[in-house]
Each structure stands twice: as C-alpha cells, then as structure tokens.
PDB file of all heavy atoms in Angstrom:
ATOM      1  N   PHE Z   1     165.729  61.733  46.164  1.00 93.00           N
ATOM      2  CA  PHE Z   1     165.656  61.089  44.854  1.00 93.00           C
ATOM      3  C   PHE Z   1     164.759  59.853  44.955  1.00 93.00           C
ATOM      4  O   PHE Z   1     165.006  58.967  45.777  1.00 93.00           O
ATOM      5  CB  PHE Z   1     167.044  60.677  44.366  1.00 93.00           C
ATOM      6  CG  PHE Z   1     168.016  61.818  44.258  1.00 93.00           C
ATOM      7  CD1 PHE Z   1     169.174  61.834  45.023  1.00 93.00           C
ATOM      8  CD2 PHE Z   1     167.765  62.881  43.413  1.00 93.00           C
ATOM      9  CE1 PHE Z   1     170.076  62.885  44.936  1.00 93.00           C
ATOM     10  CE2 PHE Z   1     168.656  63.942  43.310  1.00 93.00           C
ATOM     11  CZ  PHE Z   1     169.815  63.938  44.074  1.00 93.00           C
ATOM     12  N   PRO Z   2     163.730  59.759  44.125  1.00 89.00           N
ATOM     13  CA  PRO Z   2     162.798  58.626  44.232  1.00 89.00           C
ATOM     14  C   PRO Z   2     163.403  57.327  43.709  1.00 89.00           C
ATOM     15  O   PRO Z   2     164.240  57.327  42.810  1.00 89.00           O
ATOM     16  CB  PRO Z   2     161.621  59.068  43.352  1.00 89.00           C
ATOM     17  CG  PRO Z   2     162.227  60.008  42.350  1.00 89.00           C
ATOM     18  CD  PRO Z   2     163.330  60.717  43.073  1.00 89.00           C
ATOM     19  N   GLY Z   3     162.960  56.223  44.314  1.00 90.00           N
ATOM     20  CA  GLY Z   3     163.288  54.901  43.790  1.00 90.00           C
ATOM     21  C   GLY Z   3     164.718  54.448  43.993  1.00 90.00           C
ATOM     22  O   GLY Z   3     165.186  53.549  43.285  1.00 90.00           O
ATOM     23  N   MET Z   4     165.423  55.014  44.950  1.00 93.00           N
ATOM     24  CA  MET Z   4     166.812  54.621  45.159  1.00 93.00           C
ATOM     25  C   MET Z   4     166.881  53.281  45.907  1.00 93.00           C
ATOM     26  O   MET Z   4     166.067  53.010  46.784  1.00 93.00           O
ATOM     27  CB  MET Z   4     167.549  55.689  45.955  1.00 93.00           C
ATOM     28  CG  MET Z   4     167.710  57.011  45.215  1.00 93.00           C
ATOM     29  SD  MET Z   4     168.658  56.851  43.685  1.00 93.00           S
ATOM     30  CE  MET Z   4     170.260  56.368  44.323  1.00 93.00           C
ATOM     31  N   PRO Z   5     167.889  52.424  45.566  1.00 92.00           N
ATOM     32  CA  PRO Z   5     168.030  51.141  46.259  1.00 92.00           C
ATOM     33  C   PRO Z   5     168.498  51.340  47.701  1.00 92.00           C
ATOM     34  O   PRO Z   5     169.001  52.402  48.079  1.00 92.00           O
ATOM     35  CB  PRO Z   5     169.094  50.416  45.433  1.00 92.00           C
ATOM     36  CG  PRO Z   5     169.893  51.503  44.790  1.00 92.00           C
ATOM     37  CD  PRO Z   5     168.910  52.602  44.514  1.00 92.00           C
ATOM     38  N   GLU Z   6     168.336  50.313  48.492  1.00 94.00           N
ATOM     39  CA  GLU Z   6     168.787  50.357  49.889  1.00 94.00           C
ATOM     40  C   GLU Z   6     170.306  50.508  49.927  1.00 94.00           C
ATOM     41  O   GLU Z   6     171.037  49.783  49.239  1.00 94.00           O
ATOM     42  CB  GLU Z   6     168.369  49.059  50.595  1.00 94.00           C
ATOM     43  CG  GLU Z   6     168.453  49.114  52.096  1.00 94.00           C
ATOM     44  CD  GLU Z   6     167.365  49.991  52.710  1.00 94.00           C
ATOM     45  OE1 GLU Z   6     166.307  50.178  52.070  1.00 94.00           O
ATOM     46  OE2 GLU Z   6     167.589  50.493  53.825  1.00 94.00           O
ATOM     47  N   PHE Z   7     170.773  51.460  50.731  1.00 96.00           N
ATOM     48  CA  PHE Z   7     172.217  51.705  50.827  1.00 96.00           C
ATOM     49  C   PHE Z   7     172.442  52.702  51.950  1.00 96.00           C
ATOM     50  O   PHE Z   7     171.595  53.565  52.201  1.00 96.00           O
ATOM     51  CB  PHE Z   7     172.757  52.285  49.498  1.00 96.00           C
ATOM     52  CG  PHE Z   7     174.261  52.311  49.392  1.00 96.00           C
ATOM     53  CD1 PHE Z   7     174.980  51.143  49.193  1.00 96.00           C
ATOM     54  CD2 PHE Z   7     174.959  53.507  49.492  1.00 96.00           C
ATOM     55  CE1 PHE Z   7     176.371  51.164  49.101  1.00 96.00           C
ATOM     56  CE2 PHE Z   7     176.349  53.541  49.401  1.00 96.00           C
ATOM     57  CZ  PHE Z   7     177.050  52.366  49.199  1.00 96.00           C
ATOM     58  N   PRO Z   8     173.587  52.642  52.644  1.00 97.00           N
ATOM     59  CA  PRO Z   8     173.877  53.632  53.697  1.00 97.00           C
ATOM     60  C   PRO Z   8     174.370  54.941  53.079  1.00 97.00           C
ATOM     61  O   PRO Z   8     175.564  55.197  52.974  1.00 97.00           O
ATOM     62  CB  PRO Z   8     174.966  52.937  54.527  1.00 97.00           C
ATOM     63  CG  PRO Z   8     175.656  52.029  53.570  1.00 97.00           C
ATOM     64  CD  PRO Z   8     174.593  51.544  52.622  1.00 97.00           C
ATOM     65  N   TYR Z   9     173.440  55.798  52.701  1.00 98.00           N
ATOM     66  CA  TYR Z   9     173.785  56.991  51.910  1.00 98.00           C
ATOM     67  C   TYR Z   9     174.470  58.070  52.734  1.00 98.00           C
ATOM     68  O   TYR Z   9     175.264  58.850  52.205  1.00 98.00           O
ATOM     69  CB  TYR Z   9     172.518  57.564  51.265  1.00 98.00           C
ATOM     70  CG  TYR Z   9     171.977  56.694  50.161  1.00 98.00           C
ATOM     71  CD1 TYR Z   9     170.895  55.848  50.388  1.00 98.00           C
ATOM     72  CD2 TYR Z   9     172.559  56.692  48.908  1.00 98.00           C
ATOM     73  CE1 TYR Z   9     170.403  55.033  49.387  1.00 98.00           C
ATOM     74  CE2 TYR Z   9     172.078  55.887  47.891  1.00 98.00           C
ATOM     75  CZ  TYR Z   9     170.997  55.061  48.128  1.00 98.00           C
ATOM     76  OH  TYR Z   9     170.521  54.252  47.137  1.00 98.00           O
ATOM     77  N   GLY Z  10     174.150  58.184  54.011  1.00 98.00           N
ATOM     78  CA  GLY Z  10     174.716  59.267  54.790  1.00 98.00           C
ATOM     79  C   GLY Z  10     174.314  60.613  54.215  1.00 98.00           C
ATOM     80  O   GLY Z  10     173.216  60.798  53.690  1.00 98.00           O
ATOM     81  N   ALA Z  11     175.229  61.577  54.317  1.00 98.00           N
ATOM     82  CA  ALA Z  11     174.970  62.925  53.797  1.00 98.00           C
ATOM     83  C   ALA Z  11     175.339  62.951  52.315  1.00 98.00           C
ATOM     84  O   ALA Z  11     176.378  63.458  51.906  1.00 98.00           O
ATOM     85  CB  ALA Z  11     175.773  63.959  54.580  1.00 98.00           C
ATOM     86  N   TYR Z  12     174.449  62.417  51.497  1.00 98.00           N
ATOM     87  CA  TYR Z  12     174.697  62.228  50.066  1.00 98.00           C
ATOM     88  C   TYR Z  12     174.575  63.551  49.300  1.00 98.00           C
ATOM     89  O   TYR Z  12     174.111  64.567  49.811  1.00 98.00           O
ATOM     90  CB  TYR Z  12     173.710  61.200  49.507  1.00 98.00           C
ATOM     91  CG  TYR Z  12     172.260  61.615  49.664  1.00 98.00           C
ATOM     92  CD1 TYR Z  12     171.616  62.330  48.658  1.00 98.00           C
ATOM     93  CD2 TYR Z  12     171.547  61.327  50.823  1.00 98.00           C
ATOM     94  CE1 TYR Z  12     170.293  62.739  48.807  1.00 98.00           C
ATOM     95  CE2 TYR Z  12     170.236  61.732  50.980  1.00 98.00           C
ATOM     96  CZ  TYR Z  12     169.609  62.434  49.966  1.00 98.00           C
ATOM     97  OH  TYR Z  12     168.309  62.848  50.117  1.00 98.00           O
ATOM     98  N   HIS Z  13     174.983  63.516  48.044  1.00 98.00           N
ATOM     99  CA  HIS Z  13     174.939  64.692  47.166  1.00 98.00           C
ATOM    100  C   HIS Z  13     173.518  65.242  47.073  1.00 98.00           C
ATOM    101  O   HIS Z  13     172.587  64.527  46.715  1.00 98.00           O
ATOM    102  CB  HIS Z  13     175.423  64.296  45.767  1.00 98.00           C
ATOM    103  CG  HIS Z  13     175.454  65.414  44.777  1.00 98.00           C
ATOM    104  ND1 HIS Z  13     176.439  66.378  44.793  1.00 98.00           N
ATOM    105  CD2 HIS Z  13     174.650  65.716  43.734  1.00 98.00           C
ATOM    106  CE1 HIS Z  13     176.232  67.225  43.796  1.00 98.00           C
ATOM    107  NE2 HIS Z  13     175.150  66.848  43.142  1.00 98.00           N
ATOM    108  N   GLY Z  14     173.351  66.501  47.405  1.00 97.00           N
ATOM    109  CA  GLY Z  14     172.048  67.145  47.347  1.00 97.00           C
ATOM    110  C   GLY Z  14     171.244  67.050  48.621  1.00 97.00           C
ATOM    111  O   GLY Z  14     170.175  67.661  48.718  1.00 97.00           O
ATOM    112  N   SER Z  15     171.740  66.319  49.620  1.00 98.00           N
ATOM    113  CA  SER Z  15     170.921  66.089  50.813  1.00 98.00           C
ATOM    114  C   SER Z  15     170.753  67.332  51.672  1.00 98.00           C
ATOM    115  O   SER Z  15     169.871  67.379  52.536  1.00 98.00           O
ATOM    116  CB  SER Z  15     171.506  64.943  51.650  1.00 98.00           C
ATOM    117  OG  SER Z  15     172.840  65.217  52.047  1.00 98.00           O
ATOM    118  N   GLU Z  16     171.571  68.348  51.448  1.00 98.00           N
ATOM    119  CA  GLU Z  16     171.411  69.595  52.222  1.00 98.00           C
ATOM    120  C   GLU Z  16     170.273  70.459  51.699  1.00 98.00           C
ATOM    121  O   GLU Z  16     169.810  71.381  52.386  1.00 98.00           O
ATOM    122  CB  GLU Z  16     172.725  70.387  52.216  1.00 98.00           C
ATOM    123  CG  GLU Z  16     172.925  71.354  51.069  1.00 98.00           C
ATOM    124  CD  GLU Z  16     173.320  70.693  49.741  1.00 98.00           C
ATOM    125  OE1 GLU Z  16     173.232  69.451  49.627  1.00 98.00           O
ATOM    126  OE2 GLU Z  16     173.708  71.423  48.816  1.00 98.00           O
ATOM    127  N   LEU Z  17     169.791  70.190  50.483  1.00 98.00           N
ATOM    128  CA  LEU Z  17     168.834  71.105  49.840  1.00 98.00           C
ATOM    129  C   LEU Z  17     167.550  71.303  50.649  1.00 98.00           C
ATOM    130  O   LEU Z  17     167.109  72.444  50.823  1.00 98.00           O
ATOM    131  CB  LEU Z  17     168.522  70.617  48.426  1.00 98.00           C
ATOM    132  CG  LEU Z  17     169.691  70.697  47.439  1.00 98.00           C
ATOM    133  CD1 LEU Z  17     169.293  70.125  46.086  1.00 98.00           C
ATOM    134  CD2 LEU Z  17     170.196  72.120  47.293  1.00 98.00           C
ATOM    135  N   PRO Z  18     166.892  70.238  51.170  1.00 97.00           N
ATOM    136  CA  PRO Z  18     165.656  70.475  51.927  1.00 97.00           C
ATOM    137  C   PRO Z  18     165.860  71.248  53.225  1.00 97.00           C
ATOM    138  O   PRO Z  18     164.886  71.723  53.816  1.00 97.00           O
ATOM    139  CB  PRO Z  18     165.143  69.055  52.223  1.00 97.00           C
ATOM    140  CG  PRO Z  18     165.868  68.156  51.289  1.00 97.00           C
ATOM    141  CD  PRO Z  18     167.184  68.800  51.051  1.00 97.00           C
ATOM    142  N   PHE Z  19     167.107  71.376  53.665  1.00 98.00           N
ATOM    143  CA  PHE Z  19     167.387  72.135  54.873  1.00 98.00           C
ATOM    144  C   PHE Z  19     167.466  73.634  54.578  1.00 98.00           C
ATOM    145  O   PHE Z  19     167.413  74.450  55.501  1.00 98.00           O
ATOM    146  CB  PHE Z  19     168.686  71.651  55.509  1.00 98.00           C
ATOM    147  CG  PHE Z  19     168.592  70.253  56.063  1.00 98.00           C
ATOM    148  CD1 PHE Z  19     168.622  69.151  55.221  1.00 98.00           C
ATOM    149  CD2 PHE Z  19     168.457  70.044  57.425  1.00 98.00           C
ATOM    150  CE1 PHE Z  19     168.519  67.861  55.724  1.00 98.00           C
ATOM    151  CE2 PHE Z  19     168.360  68.755  57.941  1.00 98.00           C
ATOM    152  CZ  PHE Z  19     168.378  67.665  57.083  1.00 98.00           C
ATOM    153  N   LEU Z  20     167.571  73.976  53.313  1.00 98.00           N
ATOM    154  CA  LEU Z  20     167.656  75.378  52.902  1.00 98.00           C
ATOM    155  C   LEU Z  20     166.456  75.822  52.079  1.00 98.00           C
ATOM    156  O   LEU Z  20     166.046  76.979  52.131  1.00 98.00           O
ATOM    157  CB  LEU Z  20     168.928  75.592  52.068  1.00 98.00           C
ATOM    158  CG  LEU Z  20     170.249  75.456  52.803  1.00 98.00           C
ATOM    159  CD1 LEU Z  20     171.388  75.291  51.806  1.00 98.00           C
ATOM    160  CD2 LEU Z  20     170.499  76.681  53.680  1.00 98.00           C
ATOM    161  N   LEU Z  21     165.909  74.908  51.302  1.00 97.00           N
ATOM    162  CA  LEU Z  21     164.865  75.202  50.331  1.00 97.00           C
ATOM    163  C   LEU Z  21     163.761  74.161  50.438  1.00 97.00           C
ATOM    164  O   LEU Z  21     164.007  73.014  50.814  1.00 97.00           O
ATOM    165  CB  LEU Z  21     165.445  75.179  48.910  1.00 97.00           C
ATOM    166  CG  LEU Z  21     166.611  76.130  48.639  1.00 97.00           C
ATOM    167  CD1 LEU Z  21     167.468  75.599  47.512  1.00 97.00           C
ATOM    168  CD2 LEU Z  21     166.097  77.525  48.286  1.00 97.00           C
ATOM    169  N   ARG Z  22     162.554  74.531  50.086  1.00 92.00           N
ATOM    170  CA  ARG Z  22     161.462  73.559  50.043  1.00 92.00           C
ATOM    171  C   ARG Z  22     161.603  72.767  48.745  1.00 92.00           C
ATOM    172  O   ARG Z  22     161.636  73.324  47.657  1.00 92.00           O
ATOM    173  CB  ARG Z  22     160.122  74.288  50.104  1.00 92.00           C
ATOM    174  CG  ARG Z  22     158.910  73.375  50.191  1.00 92.00           C
ATOM    175  CD  ARG Z  22     157.688  74.127  50.666  1.00 92.00           C
ATOM    176  NE  ARG Z  22     157.634  75.493  50.160  1.00 92.00           N
ATOM    177  CZ  ARG Z  22     157.206  75.826  48.945  1.00 92.00           C
ATOM    178  NH1 ARG Z  22     156.841  74.895  48.104  1.00 92.00           N
ATOM    179  NH2 ARG Z  22     157.168  77.100  48.573  1.00 92.00           N
ATOM    180  N   TYR Z  23     161.694  71.437  48.874  1.00 88.00           N
ATOM    181  CA  TYR Z  23     161.992  70.590  47.719  1.00 88.00           C
ATOM    182  C   TYR Z  23     160.990  69.450  47.648  1.00 88.00           C
ATOM    183  O   TYR Z  23     161.033  68.510  48.435  1.00 88.00           O
ATOM    184  CB  TYR Z  23     163.415  70.035  47.817  1.00 88.00           C
ATOM    185  CG  TYR Z  23     163.905  69.372  46.546  1.00 88.00           C
ATOM    186  CD1 TYR Z  23     164.369  70.137  45.484  1.00 88.00           C
ATOM    187  CD2 TYR Z  23     163.888  67.992  46.410  1.00 88.00           C
ATOM    188  CE1 TYR Z  23     164.810  69.539  44.319  1.00 88.00           C
ATOM    189  CE2 TYR Z  23     164.329  67.385  45.250  1.00 88.00           C
ATOM    190  CZ  TYR Z  23     164.792  68.158  44.198  1.00 88.00           C
ATOM    191  OH  TYR Z  23     165.217  67.562  43.036  1.00 88.00           O
ATOM    192  N   GLY Z  24     160.072  69.525  46.694  1.00 83.00           N
ATOM    193  CA  GLY Z  24     159.071  68.483  46.512  1.00 83.00           C
ATOM    194  C   GLY Z  24     158.253  68.265  47.768  1.00 83.00           C
ATOM    195  O   GLY Z  24     157.837  69.200  48.445  1.00 83.00           O
ATOM    196  N   THR Z  25     158.031  66.998  48.111  1.00 88.00           N
ATOM    197  CA  THR Z  25     157.237  66.650  49.300  1.00 88.00           C
ATOM    198  C   THR Z  25     158.116  66.243  50.480  1.00 88.00           C
ATOM    199  O   THR Z  25     157.632  65.696  51.460  1.00 88.00           O
ATOM    200  CB  THR Z  25     156.282  65.491  48.967  1.00 88.00           C
ATOM    201  OG1 THR Z  25     157.044  64.355  48.529  1.00 88.00           O
ATOM    202  CG2 THR Z  25     155.306  65.898  47.858  1.00 88.00           C
ATOM    203  N   VAL Z  26     159.418  66.503  50.380  1.00 92.00           N
ATOM    204  CA  VAL Z  26     160.353  66.106  51.441  1.00 92.00           C
ATOM    205  C   VAL Z  26     160.037  66.878  52.715  1.00 92.00           C
ATOM    206  O   VAL Z  26     159.820  68.088  52.688  1.00 92.00           O
ATOM    207  CB  VAL Z  26     161.804  66.372  50.999  1.00 92.00           C
ATOM    208  CG1 VAL Z  26     162.770  66.089  52.139  1.00 92.00           C
ATOM    209  CG2 VAL Z  26     162.151  65.520  49.784  1.00 92.00           C
ATOM    210  N   ARG Z  27     159.998  66.157  53.822  1.00 93.00           N
ATOM    211  CA  ARG Z  27     159.732  66.770  55.113  1.00 93.00           C
ATOM    212  C   ARG Z  27     160.869  66.446  56.096  1.00 93.00           C
ATOM    213  O   ARG Z  27     161.430  65.350  56.066  1.00 93.00           O
ATOM    214  CB  ARG Z  27     158.394  66.275  55.689  1.00 93.00           C
ATOM    215  CG  ARG Z  27     157.193  66.698  54.855  1.00 93.00           C
ATOM    216  CD  ARG Z  27     156.973  68.202  54.928  1.00 93.00           C
ATOM    217  NE  ARG Z  27     155.848  68.620  54.104  1.00 93.00           N
ATOM    218  CZ  ARG Z  27     155.962  69.066  52.863  1.00 93.00           C
ATOM    219  NH1 ARG Z  27     157.158  69.140  52.306  1.00 93.00           N
ATOM    220  NH2 ARG Z  27     154.895  69.440  52.185  1.00 93.00           N
ATOM    221  N   LEU Z  28     161.167  67.396  56.967  1.00 97.00           N
ATOM    222  CA  LEU Z  28     162.208  67.226  57.967  1.00 97.00           C
ATOM    223  C   LEU Z  28     161.607  66.887  59.326  1.00 97.00           C
ATOM    224  O   LEU Z  28     160.468  67.263  59.618  1.00 97.00           O
ATOM    225  CB  LEU Z  28     163.023  68.517  58.102  1.00 97.00           C
ATOM    226  CG  LEU Z  28     163.649  69.085  56.820  1.00 97.00           C
ATOM    227  CD1 LEU Z  28     164.410  70.375  57.139  1.00 97.00           C
ATOM    228  CD2 LEU Z  28     164.575  68.079  56.156  1.00 97.00           C
ATOM    229  N   THR Z  29     162.392  66.184  60.151  1.00 96.00           N
ATOM    230  CA  THR Z  29     161.989  65.979  61.542  1.00 96.00           C
ATOM    231  C   THR Z  29     162.153  67.293  62.304  1.00 96.00           C
ATOM    232  O   THR Z  29     162.727  68.267  61.795  1.00 96.00           O
ATOM    233  CB  THR Z  29     162.860  64.904  62.196  1.00 96.00           C
ATOM    234  OG1 THR Z  29     164.208  65.401  62.298  1.00 96.00           O
ATOM    235  CG2 THR Z  29     162.860  63.611  61.393  1.00 96.00           C
ATOM    236  N   GLY Z  30     161.683  67.321  63.527  1.00 97.00           N
ATOM    237  CA  GLY Z  30     161.814  68.524  64.342  1.00 97.00           C
ATOM    238  C   GLY Z  30     163.256  68.957  64.517  1.00 97.00           C
ATOM    239  O   GLY Z  30     163.595  70.142  64.380  1.00 97.00           O
ATOM    240  N   GLU Z  31     164.146  68.010  64.832  1.00 98.00           N
ATOM    241  CA  GLU Z  31     165.556  68.336  65.002  1.00 98.00           C
ATOM    242  C   GLU Z  31     166.182  68.784  63.689  1.00 98.00           C
ATOM    243  O   GLU Z  31     167.029  69.684  63.657  1.00 98.00           O
ATOM    244  CB  GLU Z  31     166.314  67.137  65.578  1.00 98.00           C
ATOM    245  CG  GLU Z  31     166.009  66.847  67.036  1.00 98.00           C
ATOM    246  CD  GLU Z  31     166.366  68.039  67.918  1.00 98.00           C
ATOM    247  OE1 GLU Z  31     167.507  68.547  67.809  1.00 98.00           O
ATOM    248  OE2 GLU Z  31     165.503  68.468  68.707  1.00 98.00           O
ATOM    249  N   GLN Z  32     165.776  68.136  62.608  1.00 98.00           N
ATOM    250  CA  GLN Z  32     166.303  68.538  61.302  1.00 98.00           C
ATOM    251  C   GLN Z  32     165.829  69.937  60.918  1.00 98.00           C
ATOM    252  O   GLN Z  32     166.583  70.701  60.310  1.00 98.00           O
ATOM    253  CB  GLN Z  32     165.900  67.516  60.240  1.00 98.00           C
ATOM    254  CG  GLN Z  32     166.637  66.196  60.374  1.00 98.00           C
ATOM    255  CD  GLN Z  32     166.118  65.139  59.421  1.00 98.00           C
ATOM    256  OE1 GLN Z  32     165.007  65.250  58.886  1.00 98.00           O
ATOM    257  NE2 GLN Z  32     166.897  64.097  59.205  1.00 98.00           N
ATOM    258  N   GLN Z  33     164.601  70.281  61.294  1.00 97.00           N
ATOM    259  CA  GLN Z  33     164.111  71.622  60.997  1.00 97.00           C
ATOM    260  C   GLN Z  33     164.925  72.671  61.759  1.00 97.00           C
ATOM    261  O   GLN Z  33     165.212  73.756  61.231  1.00 97.00           O
ATOM    262  CB  GLN Z  33     162.632  71.747  61.348  1.00 97.00           C
ATOM    263  CG  GLN Z  33     162.000  73.060  60.886  1.00 97.00           C
ATOM    264  CD  GLN Z  33     162.157  73.271  59.395  1.00 97.00           C
ATOM    265  OE1 GLN Z  33     161.633  72.505  58.580  1.00 97.00           O
ATOM    266  NE2 GLN Z  33     162.883  74.316  59.000  1.00 97.00           N
ATOM    267  N   LYS Z  34     165.311  72.348  62.992  1.00 98.00           N
ATOM    268  CA  LYS Z  34     166.181  73.264  63.742  1.00 98.00           C
ATOM    269  C   LYS Z  34     167.514  73.442  63.030  1.00 98.00           C
ATOM    270  O   LYS Z  34     168.064  74.550  62.965  1.00 98.00           O
ATOM    271  CB  LYS Z  34     166.411  72.734  65.155  1.00 98.00           C
ATOM    272  CG  LYS Z  34     165.184  72.790  66.062  1.00 98.00           C
ATOM    273  CD  LYS Z  34     165.515  72.230  67.441  1.00 98.00           C
ATOM    274  CE  LYS Z  34     164.290  72.207  68.342  1.00 98.00           C
ATOM    275  NZ  LYS Z  34     164.603  71.585  69.664  1.00 98.00           N
ATOM    276  N   LEU Z  35     168.049  72.335  62.494  1.00 98.00           N
ATOM    277  CA  LEU Z  35     169.296  72.422  61.735  1.00 98.00           C
ATOM    278  C   LEU Z  35     169.092  73.272  60.482  1.00 98.00           C
ATOM    279  O   LEU Z  35     169.949  74.096  60.126  1.00 98.00           O
ATOM    280  CB  LEU Z  35     169.786  71.027  61.362  1.00 98.00           C
ATOM    281  CG  LEU Z  35     171.045  70.960  60.488  1.00 98.00           C
ATOM    282  CD1 LEU Z  35     172.234  71.598  61.214  1.00 98.00           C
ATOM    283  CD2 LEU Z  35     171.352  69.515  60.096  1.00 98.00           C
ATOM    284  N   GLY Z  36     167.941  73.072  59.817  1.00 98.00           N
ATOM    285  CA  GLY Z  36     167.636  73.888  58.653  1.00 98.00           C
ATOM    286  C   GLY Z  36     167.575  75.369  58.996  1.00 98.00           C
ATOM    287  O   GLY Z  36     168.088  76.216  58.254  1.00 98.00           O
ATOM    288  N   ASP Z  37     166.968  75.682  60.119  1.00 98.00           N
ATOM    289  CA  ASP Z  37     166.905  77.084  60.552  1.00 98.00           C
ATOM    290  C   ASP Z  37     168.308  77.653  60.767  1.00 98.00           C
ATOM    291  O   ASP Z  37     168.583  78.812  60.428  1.00 98.00           O
ATOM    292  CB  ASP Z  37     166.102  77.203  61.844  1.00 98.00           C
ATOM    293  CG  ASP Z  37     164.624  76.867  61.663  1.00 98.00           C
ATOM    294  OD1 ASP Z  37     164.148  76.868  60.504  1.00 98.00           O
ATOM    295  OD2 ASP Z  37     163.958  76.591  62.680  1.00 98.00           O
ATOM    296  N   GLU Z  38     169.182  76.817  61.327  1.00 98.00           N
ATOM    297  CA  GLU Z  38     170.562  77.265  61.551  1.00 98.00           C
ATOM    298  C   GLU Z  38     171.266  77.547  60.219  1.00 98.00           C
ATOM    299  O   GLU Z  38     171.960  78.568  60.064  1.00 98.00           O
ATOM    300  CB  GLU Z  38     171.334  76.200  62.336  1.00 98.00           C
ATOM    301  CG  GLU Z  38     172.786  76.564  62.617  1.00 98.00           C
ATOM    302  CD  GLU Z  38     173.565  75.429  63.266  1.00 98.00           C
ATOM    303  OE1 GLU Z  38     172.942  74.427  63.682  1.00 98.00           O
ATOM    304  OE2 GLU Z  38     174.806  75.547  63.338  1.00 98.00           O
ATOM    305  N   MET Z  39     171.065  76.649  59.242  1.00 98.00           N
ATOM    306  CA  MET Z  39     171.705  76.833  57.944  1.00 98.00           C
ATOM    307  C   MET Z  39     171.123  78.031  57.207  1.00 98.00           C
ATOM    308  O   MET Z  39     171.866  78.832  56.623  1.00 98.00           O
ATOM    309  CB  MET Z  39     171.565  75.556  57.118  1.00 98.00           C
ATOM    310  CG  MET Z  39     172.326  74.371  57.699  1.00 98.00           C
ATOM    311  SD  MET Z  39     172.108  72.851  56.749  1.00 98.00           S
ATOM    312  CE  MET Z  39     172.940  73.282  55.206  1.00 98.00           C
TER     313      MET Z  39
END
C-alpha cells in the first residue's frame, strides 16, 4: 500500500499477496521468493 506511515506492520492484511500473485511493482527478496514458491 503506497504512502503508509512508519509503523511495525509485521505480516499485515494483504501482505501474503505478492508471495502468490504478481502485484504492482512489488518485488521479493531471494528468501521471500523461495517462500512464495512454497506457498
């Protein structure tokens, strides 16, 4: 989500989406991509 204030969001609502689907310009790290592959 663009323009969000600083905050410890953790695994916030919708944060799993880029691990399953391509969403906008969001990019995953190498380890996150492995997690996405698992999901």
Side-chain angles (χ1 to χ4, degrees):
F1 302 118
M4 294 299 295
E6 195 72 24
F7 192 73
Y9 289 101
Y12 60 91
H13 181 76
S15 59
E16 88 283 12
L17 292 177
F19 292 77
L20 292 164
L21 303 154
R22 185 163 36 81
Y23 191 79
T25 59
V26 175
R27 295 292 178 265
L28 305 179
T29 67
E31 288 300 309
Q32 289 173 342
Q33 188 57 64
K34 290 180 183 177
L35 176 61
D37 293 342
E38 180 186 350
M39 294 178 67

